[in-house]
mmCIF file of all heavy atoms in Angstrom:
data_model
loop_
_atom_site.group_PDB
_atom_site.id
_atom_site.type_symbol
_atom_site.label_atom_id
_atom_site.label_comp_id
_atom_site.label_asym_id
_atom_site.label_seq_id
_atom_site.Cartn_x
_atom_site.Cartn_y
_atom_site.Cartn_z
ATOM 1 N N MET H 1 -16.075 110.478 -178.901
ATOM 2 C CA MET H 1 -16.021 109.437 -179.940
ATOM 3 C C MET H 1 -15.780 108.086 -179.321
ATOM 4 O O MET H 1 -14.810 107.866 -178.598
ATOM 5 C CB MET H 1 -14.838 109.755 -180.874
ATOM 6 C CG MET H 1 -14.643 108.735 -181.979
ATOM 7 S SD MET H 1 -16.081 108.648 -183.022
ATOM 8 C CE MET H 1 -16.182 106.875 -183.255
ATOM 9 N N SER H 2 -16.660 107.155 -179.525
ATOM 10 C CA SER H 2 -16.433 105.812 -179.021
ATOM 11 C C SER H 2 -16.210 104.871 -180.189
ATOM 12 O O SER H 2 -17.136 104.553 -180.916
ATOM 13 C CB SER H 2 -17.617 105.363 -178.183
ATOM 14 O OG SER H 2 -18.794 105.460 -178.940
ATOM 15 N N VAL H 150 -9.959 105.802 -192.280
ATOM 16 C CA VAL H 150 -10.730 106.422 -191.197
ATOM 17 C C VAL H 150 -12.080 105.727 -191.065
ATOM 18 O O VAL H 150 -12.515 105.387 -189.969
ATOM 19 C CB VAL H 150 -10.910 107.934 -191.447
ATOM 20 C CG1 VAL H 150 -11.968 108.520 -190.523
ATOM 21 C CG2 VAL H 150 -9.585 108.659 -191.264
ATOM 22 N N ARG H 151 -12.739 105.494 -192.213
ATOM 23 C CA ARG H 151 -14.044 104.837 -192.163
ATOM 24 C C ARG H 151 -13.936 103.428 -191.604
ATOM 25 O O ARG H 151 -14.815 102.972 -190.893
ATOM 26 C CB ARG H 151 -14.681 104.816 -193.553
ATOM 27 C CG ARG H 151 -15.356 106.131 -193.912
ATOM 28 C CD ARG H 151 -16.245 105.986 -195.127
ATOM 29 N NE ARG H 151 -15.481 105.886 -196.350
ATOM 30 C CZ ARG H 151 -14.962 106.933 -196.999
ATOM 31 N NH1 ARG H 151 -15.136 108.155 -196.521
ATOM 32 N NH2 ARG H 151 -14.285 106.771 -198.102
ATOM 33 N N ARG H 153 -11.729 102.480 -189.476
ATOM 34 C CA ARG H 153 -11.154 102.531 -188.131
ATOM 35 C C ARG H 153 -9.884 101.709 -188.025
ATOM 36 O O ARG H 153 -9.677 100.952 -187.072
ATOM 37 C CB ARG H 153 -12.169 102.051 -187.084
ATOM 38 C CG ARG H 153 -13.441 102.879 -187.003
ATOM 39 C CD ARG H 153 -13.121 104.244 -186.402
ATOM 40 N NE ARG H 153 -14.305 105.060 -186.167
ATOM 41 C CZ ARG H 153 -14.794 105.940 -187.045
ATOM 42 N NH1 ARG H 153 -14.231 106.097 -188.219
ATOM 43 N NH2 ARG H 153 -15.844 106.663 -186.742
ATOM 44 N N GLU H 192 -3.732 113.352 -185.666
ATOM 45 C CA GLU H 192 -5.068 113.525 -186.232
ATOM 46 C C GLU H 192 -5.861 112.221 -186.239
ATOM 47 O O GLU H 192 -7.068 112.215 -186.005
ATOM 48 C CB GLU H 192 -4.983 114.062 -187.668
ATOM 49 C CG GLU H 192 -4.628 115.531 -187.769
ATOM 50 C CD GLU H 192 -4.820 116.092 -189.187
ATOM 51 O OE1 GLU H 192 -5.372 115.376 -190.050
ATOM 52 O OE2 GLU H 192 -4.419 117.244 -189.421
ATOM 53 N N SER H 195 -6.908 108.298 -182.969
ATOM 54 C CA SER H 195 -8.150 107.819 -182.354
ATOM 55 C C SER H 195 -8.898 106.860 -183.268
ATOM 56 O O SER H 195 -9.850 106.220 -182.839
ATOM 57 C CB SER H 195 -9.056 109.008 -182.016
ATOM 58 O OG SER H 195 -9.473 109.653 -183.215
ATOM 59 N N ARG H 196 -8.477 106.769 -184.511
ATOM 60 C CA ARG H 196 -9.139 105.854 -185.453
ATOM 61 C C ARG H 196 -8.328 104.582 -185.667
ATOM 62 O O ARG H 196 -8.559 103.834 -186.617
ATOM 63 C CB ARG H 196 -9.367 106.550 -186.808
ATOM 64 C CG ARG H 196 -10.175 107.831 -186.714
ATOM 65 C CD ARG H 196 -11.501 107.608 -185.997
ATOM 66 N NE ARG H 196 -12.416 108.717 -186.210
ATOM 67 C CZ ARG H 196 -12.533 109.782 -185.424
ATOM 68 N NH1 ARG H 196 -11.785 109.881 -184.342
ATOM 69 N NH2 ARG H 196 -13.405 110.733 -185.697
ATOM 70 N N VAL E 17 -22.336 107.771 -189.406
ATOM 71 C CA VAL E 17 -20.967 108.269 -189.251
ATOM 72 C C VAL E 17 -20.613 108.492 -187.780
ATOM 73 O O VAL E 17 -19.528 108.139 -187.330
ATOM 74 C CB VAL E 17 -20.771 109.579 -190.043
ATOM 75 C CG1 VAL E 17 -19.395 110.171 -189.772
ATOM 76 C CG2 VAL E 17 -20.947 109.323 -191.538
ATOM 77 N N GLN E 19 -22.172 107.251 -185.199
ATOM 78 C CA GLN E 19 -22.519 106.088 -184.381
ATOM 79 C C GLN E 19 -23.278 106.498 -183.115
ATOM 80 O O GLN E 19 -22.879 106.168 -181.991
ATOM 81 C CB GLN E 19 -21.261 105.276 -184.049
ATOM 82 C CG GLN E 19 -20.644 104.669 -185.303
ATOM 83 C CD GLN E 19 -19.271 104.052 -185.072
ATOM 84 O OE1 GLN E 19 -18.878 103.794 -183.952
ATOM 85 N NE2 GLN E 19 -18.548 103.810 -186.145
ATOM 86 N N ASP E 36 -20.788 113.799 -178.735
ATOM 87 C CA ASP E 36 -19.449 113.290 -178.481
ATOM 88 C C ASP E 36 -18.632 113.175 -179.776
ATOM 89 O O ASP E 36 -17.869 112.218 -179.963
ATOM 90 C CB ASP E 36 -19.547 111.919 -177.786
ATOM 91 C CG ASP E 36 -18.241 111.578 -177.062
ATOM 92 O OD1 ASP E 36 -17.483 112.515 -176.768
ATOM 93 O OD2 ASP E 36 -17.991 110.386 -176.824
ATOM 94 N N ALA E 37 -18.833 114.144 -180.659
ATOM 95 C CA ALA E 37 -18.146 114.086 -181.959
ATOM 96 C C ALA E 37 -16.931 115.009 -181.947
ATOM 97 O O ALA E 37 -17.028 116.159 -181.538
ATOM 98 C CB ALA E 37 -19.098 114.505 -183.078
ATOM 99 N N ASP E 38 -15.799 114.505 -182.397
ATOM 100 C CA ASP E 38 -14.613 115.353 -182.496
ATOM 101 C C ASP E 38 -14.503 115.928 -183.911
ATOM 102 O O ASP E 38 -15.353 115.690 -184.762
ATOM 103 C CB ASP E 38 -13.346 114.576 -182.080
ATOM 104 C CG ASP E 38 -13.048 113.407 -183.008
ATOM 105 O OD1 ASP E 38 -13.596 113.370 -184.134
ATOM 106 O OD2 ASP E 38 -12.268 112.528 -182.608
ATOM 107 N N LEU E 40 -12.582 115.289 -186.355
ATOM 108 C CA LEU E 40 -12.461 114.307 -187.439
ATOM 109 C C LEU E 40 -13.819 113.670 -187.751
ATOM 110 O O LEU E 40 -14.132 113.384 -188.907
ATOM 111 C CB LEU E 40 -11.421 113.242 -187.067
ATOM 112 C CG LEU E 40 -11.027 112.227 -188.132
ATOM 113 C CD1 LEU E 40 -10.618 112.898 -189.436
ATOM 114 C CD2 LEU E 40 -9.883 111.359 -187.620
ATOM 115 N N ASP E 41 -14.638 113.482 -186.716
ATOM 116 C CA ASP E 41 -16.003 112.987 -186.944
ATOM 117 C C ASP E 41 -16.767 113.943 -187.855
ATOM 118 O O ASP E 41 -17.495 113.525 -188.746
ATOM 119 C CB ASP E 41 -16.768 112.888 -185.606
ATOM 120 C CG ASP E 41 -16.302 111.709 -184.769
ATOM 121 O OD1 ASP E 41 -16.115 110.622 -185.332
ATOM 122 O OD2 ASP E 41 -16.147 111.891 -183.547
ATOM 123 N N GLU E 44 -15.674 113.644 -191.364
ATOM 124 C CA GLU E 44 -16.266 112.427 -191.938
ATOM 125 C C GLU E 44 -17.733 112.649 -192.282
ATOM 126 O O GLU E 44 -18.212 112.212 -193.331
ATOM 127 C CB GLU E 44 -16.176 111.282 -190.923
ATOM 128 C CG GLU E 44 -14.865 110.556 -190.912
ATOM 129 C CD GLU E 44 -14.972 109.312 -190.050
ATOM 130 O OE1 GLU E 44 -15.490 108.300 -190.546
ATOM 131 O OE2 GLU E 44 -14.582 109.372 -188.870
ATOM 132 N N MET E 47 -18.074 114.793 -195.374
ATOM 133 C CA MET E 47 -17.760 114.015 -196.577
ATOM 134 C C MET E 47 -18.911 113.084 -196.940
ATOM 135 O O MET E 47 -19.255 112.921 -198.118
ATOM 136 C CB MET E 47 -16.461 113.229 -196.380
ATOM 137 C CG MET E 47 -15.217 114.126 -196.394
ATOM 138 S SD MET E 47 -13.695 113.303 -195.878
ATOM 139 C CE MET E 47 -13.409 112.215 -197.276
#
Side-chain angles (χ1 to χ4, degrees):
Chain H
M1 179 61 221
S2 56
V150 167
R151 279 193 286 279
R153 299 290 186 267
E192 285 191 8
S195 65
R196 303 306 195 268
Chain E
V17 174
Q19 295 170 17
D36 200 21
D38 64 17
L40 187 52
D41 286 317
E44 276 190 81
M47 288 170 71

